[in-house]
Amino acid sequence: MKRMNILDDVQQKPYIFERKIVSELEAFLSSKKPFAALIGPRKCGKTFALKQLLAKKSDCIYYDCKSMSEQEKLDLFDNFVEDLEKYSLIVIDEITYAEAPDVFLNKIANAANETTAKIIITGSQLISIDSWVNMTMPTKCVKIYMSFLDFNEWITFRRLDKNNLSEGDFLDYLQNSSEFFGITDNRAYLEGCLTETIISNKNAINVIPGNVELVPEEINNVVAFLFVNLTKLHSKINWETYLDPKRVAIKIWNTVSNSHGVKFTQFAENFYKEYSKQHTFFTKITLKSLRDYLRFLIKIDFITITDSLGDSVSLQQWLWGIGEAPIGNVVEFCRRYSVQVKYPMFYYNFVKEFICFDEITLKDYDNSTIMGSALECYVRGLISYDTGLCTMDEFVPDTGGEIDYVDRENLKALEITISNKSSKEVYFQQLKSWEKYDCILLTKDIEMQRENVQLVPFCKYLYEKSEQKRITRFPV
C-alpha cells in the first residue's frame, strides 16, 4: 500500500471531515480481538473511513478486492499469510468480491490464530458478511456497524452550533447530504445494491439465508412501490386513487399548485410519462413478490414499515417466513401499512424524481410539506436502530387523529411534527393508561414539560437521537 495515495484521498473535500466511526475503529485496534468487520450500506462511507484510519498508521496494508484481477484474488490468501508477519494492520475491503469469500474468511480466521496483527474486513452486503462472520469467526471478530451521515454529524461537518439549531439546518441536511455521498439517483443506487447482492450470492460457496435476489428488471417495481408509499405519506392519497392515473395526477397537482401555481397541463404531461411506467405494478404484483421487495429493501437498510393497526409482530413473522400473511393482497398492504425510507436524502431524491419534475418547480415547492414527510421518515429510521426492528406501530384512535409511534411494551409514545401544534397532545390521552406513558411531542421551537408529555424542538431531538445512535446490528 502506498500511504501517500491514502493521504491524497482523505485530503480531498468532503472527506477531510473525519467520520465518527473512525474512533470506534481506533478502539478496536486497542482491543484483544484480532478481527473487525466494518459493515454498512453501500456508499455510506466505509472505504473513506478506513482510509482516514490508515492515514494515521505507518505499518499497514490495504487490499481492495473489487479492483483485483482474478489472479490477484487467487493469490490473496498467500499474500495475507505473508503480511501477518509484516504489518500490524491489514484491511481487506469489498470482501464480497473475493474468490469464495466465505471460504476465504474461514482460512484467514485459522491463519491468524497466533498473530498480533489486527485485520479489518468490510463490504456492503449486510446479511452476507454478518452470516459469514458468524459462521467462520464468531468469537474472534467484533462487528462495527456504520450508517449514512446522521444529523449530528452533518451539524459538525457544517460547523454549526448544536445549541442554536433551526429548521433551516434540517432543510440544509435534507437538500444537500446526498451531494456529500454523491447519491443523486435512487434507482441507480438500488440497482447497485442488487448487483452486489447477486455477486455475493454467486461468489459464496454456501447459500446465504435471507439474501433476497431479484431479477434486475424488478427494480422498476421496487421503485414504483416506494413511489406509492412515499406519495401516500407526502400527499395523503389513499390506495384506491392510485388505480386511476388521472386522479393521482390531479391530487398531486393540487398539492403542488397550492405552493406556486404550476399549470396542470404541463404537470400532467410530465407525470403521465413517469407514472405510466409504474402503473402495471399496482395490478400485477403478488404477495410473494411484495415480500421479496420488502426483504430486499430491509436487507440494504433502506426502509421502515409502520402498522396502523398496531400489530407489527404479525408482519415481522410473515416477512421472515415464520407466520401467515396478515394481509390478502397488495391493496390491503398499502391500506394498512406505510413504508418510509430511513434517510432524508433518499426521500428528497424521490421528491425530485416523482413529485417535482424540474429544479424550478422544486425550488418553489413548499418546503414545509417536504420537511414534515422527511422528518417522519428519518425519525422512524432512528427509532429502528433503538429497537433492532424495521417494523413498528402507530396508534389510530376511534375518535380520529393518530399517534405516529407507540411502543406499548415499554410505554412510549411519539408524535412527529415540525410545527408548534399543542393540540396534538390530546391524542396521547386516547391511549389506555396513557398517564403511564412517556410521551414526546416534537415541535418547531417549543421546549417544555406538560404532565407526562415532553415538548421537544424537532432539531434538538434529531441531534440528540442521532448523537446517541449506536448500532449493535442493523434492524430486520
Side-chain angles (χ1 to χ4, degrees):
M1 181 197 72
K2 294 182 179 179
R3 188 165 180 261
M4 185 55 67
N5 290 343
I6 298 295
L7 289 173
D8 287 344
D9 280 339
V10 299
Q11 287 173 351
Q12 294 180 22
K13 292 181 179 180
Y15 299 105
I16 197 170
F17 167 71
E18 185 172 287
R19 297 296 303 276
K20 66 179 182 180
I21 202 74
V22 175
S23 62
E24 293 195 41
L25 292 170
E26 289 176 321
F28 155 70
L29 297 181
S30 303
S31 70
K32 294 182 179 180
K33 293 193 176 184
F35 288 92
L38 178 60
I39 310 173
R42 177 173 171 263
K43 295 181 75 69
C44 73
K46 298 182 297 297
T47 295
F48 273 95
L50 286 172
K51 290 181 175 180
Q52 288 172 331
L53 175 71
L54 291 169
K56 302 178 181 182
K57 303 285 291 181
S58 57
D59 56 339
C60 53
I61 189 165
Y62 170 84
Y63 288 107
D64 179 4
C65 296
K66 190 174 183 178
S67 64
M68 288 181 180
S69 66
E70 292 304 313
Q71 187 58 51
E72 287 173 327
K73 291 178 183 179
L74 293 173
D75 294 339
L76 181 57
F77 176 70
D78 290 338
N79 291 333
F80 171 82
V81 173
E82 292 180 11
D83 291 338
L84 286 174
E85 303 298 323
K86 297 178 182 178
Y87 301 100
S88 66
L89 175 60
I90 302 171
V91 172
I92 305 175
D93 200 0
E94 300 288 4
I95 191 66
T96 52
Y97 288 86
E99 181 74 18
D102 49 343
V103 174
F104 173 75
L105 288 178
N106 188 53
K107 290 168 67 176
I108 67 173
N110 292 328
N113 271 334
E114 304 300 325
T115 187
T116 58
K118 297 292 185 179
I119 302 102
I120 301 176
I121 59 172
T122 187
S124 302
Q125 282 293 297
L126 310 181
I127 288 182
S128 302
I129 297 175
D130 200 57
S131 173
W132 296 335
V133 167
N134 290 340
M135 181 174 59
T136 62
M137 52 182 76
T139 61
K140 299 178 181 179
C141 184
V142 57
K143 298 172 188 173
I144 301 174
Y145 295 98
M146 184 175 183
S147 62
F148 287 100
L149 198 74
D150 276 306
F151 186 61
N152 73 306
E153 274 195 285
W154 182 258
I155 296 304
T156 303
F157 172 61
R158 288 297 207 196
R159 299 181 180 179
L160 299 174
D161 181 2
K162 67 178 182 179
N163 297 313
N164 191 30
L165 300 175
S166 68
E167 62 181 23
D169 299 321
F170 178 65
L171 183 61
D172 176 45
Y173 174 61
L174 171 62
Q175 293 179 328
N176 298 311
S177 57
S178 61
E179 296 293 337
F180 184 95
F181 295 101
I183 301 174
T184 56
D185 185 335
N186 288 355
R187 190 186 305 267
Y189 176 81
L190 293 171
E191 287 172 348
C193 292
L194 178 57
T195 297
E196 292 198 345
T197 300
I198 293 171
I199 289 171
S200 66
N201 285 342
K202 177 184 176 183
N203 288 351
I205 299 299
N206 294 290
V207 173
I208 305 166
N211 208 29
V212 179
E213 185 173 317
L214 307 177
V215 176
E217 291 74 21
E218 289 185 288
I219 287 296
N220 287 331
N221 288 344
V222 173
V223 172
F225 174 73
L226 290 169
F227 164 69
V228 167
N229 279 275
L230 293 176
T231 51
K232 185 173 71 171
L233 170 70
H234 179 92
S235 302
K236 309 301 182 186
I237 303 174
N238 63 33
W239 167 257
E240 286 76 11
T241 303
Y242 284 101
L243 301 179
D244 184 342
K246 186 175 181 180
R247 281 187 179 274
V248 180
I250 292 172
K251 177 66 177 179
I252 296 180
W253 168 69
N254 285 336
T255 304
V256 174
S257 63
N258 287 339
S259 301
H260 52 77
V262 64
K263 292 183 178 180
F264 175 70
T265 52
Q266 176 189 352
F267 180 88
E269 182 180 349
N270 289 328
F271 183 87
Y272 287 143
K273 181 179 177 181
E274 295 296 323
Y275 187 76
S276 61
K277 300 175 185 176
Q278 326 295 342
H279 190 246
T280 56
F281 160 82
F282 305 128
T283 55
K284 294 184 178 180
I285 187 174
T286 65
L287 273 181
K288 180 184 180 304
S289 294
L290 175 62
R291 184 169 67 175
D292 284 346
Y293 300 161
L294 292 170
R295 290 170 73 172
F296 168 72
L297 291 167
I298 291 167
K299 181 186 71 67
I300 64 173
D301 197 42
F302 201 79
I303 62 167
T304 59
I305 309 172
T306 304
D307 187 353
S308 63
L309 298 185
D311 182 24
S312 58
V313 173
S314 61
L315 173 65
Q316 186 78 11
Q317 292 173 340
W318 171 65
L319 282 173
W320 304 111
I322 56 175
E324 296 295 321
I327 34 83
N329 52 53
V330 69
V331 174
E332 290 181 16
F333 180 92
C334 289
R335 284 176 181 155
R336 174 171 172 176
Y337 302 100
S338 58
V339 176
Q340 297 90 25
V341 295
K342 285 189 172 184
Y343 284 88
M345 65 178 181
F346 290 116
Y347 174 81
Y348 192 67
N349 285 346
F350 277 125
V351 169
K352 288 192 289 187
E353 181 177 358
F354 288 125
I355 298 178
C356 305
F357 296 95
D358 58 72
E359 288 300 322
I360 295 177
T361 300
L362 189 62
K363 181 180 178 181
D364 295 337
Y365 197 76
D366 181 5
N367 286 325
S368 63
T369 304
I370 297 175
M371 287 173 61
S373 300
L375 177 66
E376 185 171 340
C377 288
Y378 186 34
V379 168
R380 293 189 189 281
L382 291 172
I383 289 171
S384 73
Y385 293 111
D386 280 350
T387 63
L389 296 173
C390 69
T391 55
M392 58 194 70
D393 297 328
E394 65 180 1
F395 174 67
V396 181
D398 295 334
T399 55
E402 65 181 15
I403 301 173
D404 290 317
Y405 172 71
V406 172
D407 178 352
R408 290 178 173 83
E409 182 177 349
N410 296 298
L411 300 178
K412 294 180 179 180
L414 173 68
E415 179 62 27
I416 306 167
T417 178
I418 63 169
S419 58
N420 294 329
K421 294 183 178 179
S422 58
S423 61
K424 294 268 186 178
E425 291 176 78
V426 71
Y427 300 148
F428 293 125
Q429 298 174 18
Q430 304 300 312
L431 288 165
K432 185 178 180 180
S433 303
W434 87 278
E435 65 278 357
K436 298 179 180 178
Y437 277 75
D438 290 327
C439 301
I440 296 177
L441 171 64
L442 299 187
T443 68
K444 178 181 178 180
D445 53 20
I446 296 175
E447 184 172 9
M448 62 184 302
Q449 185 81 29
R450 292 176 182 158
E451 296 182 326
N452 59 319
V453 180
Q454 185 180 3
L455 280 67
V456 183
F458 75 89
C459 280
K460 178 178 180 179
Y461 177 88
L462 290 181
Y463 185 91
E464 293 179 351
K465 193 75 173 176
S466 57
E467 186 177 43
Q468 295 163 4
K469 178 178 171 182
R470 175 67 177 90
I471 307 174
T472 56
R473 63 188 177 97
F474 275 97
V476 296

